Amino acid sequence: MGKHKAISENEQSIIVKNILGAKDKRKQVEIEADLHESSIGIIKDILKEHGVNLRILNGGSHKKKRLEDELIDEAPKEQAIINEAVEAVKDFDAALSKGEQIEEQEHSKTANISQEEKQQIFEASLAAQREKKQNEPEPIIIGSAPKQICSEDDVLDGIRKKVARLIKQRRELKAQLDAKDQELAKYVEFFSAEMLQIDALRKDGGISG
């Protein structure tokens, strides 16, 4: 008990109860020290020995948790994390093992294929490639050596572009021809008017034929 050994266990329990139940706990500590002719320090020691956190004197919680208790409480959490990590490793190992088994099975299947079966697979692959080529449009060979090989789409696209250029050139030439026709029409109209005047003068006798 130290310096407060004169205060009995029963009295100490009452002191702790009174302080915990008091609205102003700091003030109650002073009161209990006066009642038992003791010091505030001794009353605080009694509180600590009974598991009371002295933070209650400043408005904190009275519950006191020892470091050992905190470690005990944290142990299940840490163990749960460890268990979870162990399970994750087990799952990874299982998946890895399964992958290796599948790879071994595939390798075993390939290894067990006879030479005849391999030849059949090879021929089937060649047949598929030939069929694919047959379905493709035949290329068009243009010119003599060195020959230029073009696809049907390339040839048709070139023809379309050539036709488009010719149509554009024709439109430009027609526009120029129309402009020349309009210019010539002005001269024809002018000379037609002059010829009419000359004919009229001839009829009037103003101009000898």
Side-chain angles (χ1 to χ4, degrees):
M1 297 293 179
K3 295 181 180 179
H4 51 276
K5 60 183 179 180
I7 302 175
S8 66
E9 284 290 336
N10 186 44
E11 288 177 321
Q12 291 181 27
S13 298
I14 294 173
I15 290 172
V16 173
K17 183 178 179 180
N18 290 341
I19 294 173
L20 294 177
K23 186 174 181 180
D24 188 342
K25 294 178 176 53
R26 183 184 292 273
K27 183 65 177 177
Q28 189 64 34
V29 169
E30 296 176 359
I31 293 172
E32 295 296 331
D34 291 339
L35 287 175
H36 294 85
E37 298 180 350
S38 183
S39 67
I40 293 176
I42 291 175
I43 299 301
K44 288 181 178 180
D45 289 341
I46 292 172
L47 289 173
K48 286 192 288 187
E49 287 187 5
H50 284 76
V52 178
N53 194 322
L54 296 183
R55 287 184 301 175
I56 62 169
L57 303 180
N58 297 320
S61 172
H62 72 278
K63 294 180 180 178
K64 180 181 179 182
K65 184 175 287 189
R66 295 180 302 170
L67 180 60
E68 309 91 83
D69 297 332
E70 292 178 358
L71 293 175
I72 292 172
D73 290 343
E74 290 296 327
K77 297 179 183 178
E78 294 179 358
Q79 188 61 42
I81 295 172
I82 293 172
N83 293 339
E84 186 177 352
V86 170
E87 291 299 323
V89 172
K90 288 181 179 178
D91 292 341
F92 176 76
D93 288 341
L96 184 61
S97 176
K98 186 176 181 180
E100 290 175 349
Q101 290 175 2
I102 293 173
E103 186 177 356
E104 288 176 1
Q105 291 173 1
E106 293 297 327
H107 179 71
S108 177
K109 288 179 182 178
T110 305
N112 293 331
I113 294 176
S114 65
Q115 188 65 31
E116 183 180 354
E117 289 174 326
K118 290 180 180 179
Q119 183 64 27
Q120 291 175 353
I121 293 173
F122 177 72
E123 290 177 357
S125 176
L126 286 179
Q129 292 179 7
R130 283 196 295 267
E131 183 179 357
K132 182 179 178 183
K133 278 190 173 183
Q134 289 174 358
N135 294 331
E136 293 177 351
E138 293 184 2
I140 298 175
I141 301 175
I142 301 174
S144 57
K147 296 178 180 179
Q148 182 177 1
I149 300 176
C150 303
S151 68
E152 182 178 335
D153 290 338
D154 290 338
V155 173
L156 293 176
D157 187 55
I159 293 173
R160 279 193 291 268
K161 291 179 179 178
K162 178 67 174 180
V163 171
R165 285 196 299 270
L166 290 174
I167 291 173
K168 181 181 178 183
Q169 290 172 4
R170 183 183 182 281
R171 287 175 179 169
E172 291 174 351
L173 291 173
K174 188 177 182 303
Q176 293 176 10
L177 184 59
D178 290 342
K180 295 299 181 182
D181 288 343
Q182 291 176 5
E183 188 176 356
L184 287 172
K186 294 178 183 179
Y187 292 109
V188 170
E189 183 180 356
F190 172 77
F191 284 112
S192 295
E194 290 296 321
M195 291 302 296
L196 288 174
Q197 290 179 8
I198 291 171
D199 287 339
L201 289 172
R202 281 177 179 172
K203 290 177 181 179
D204 292 340
I207 299 176
S208 59

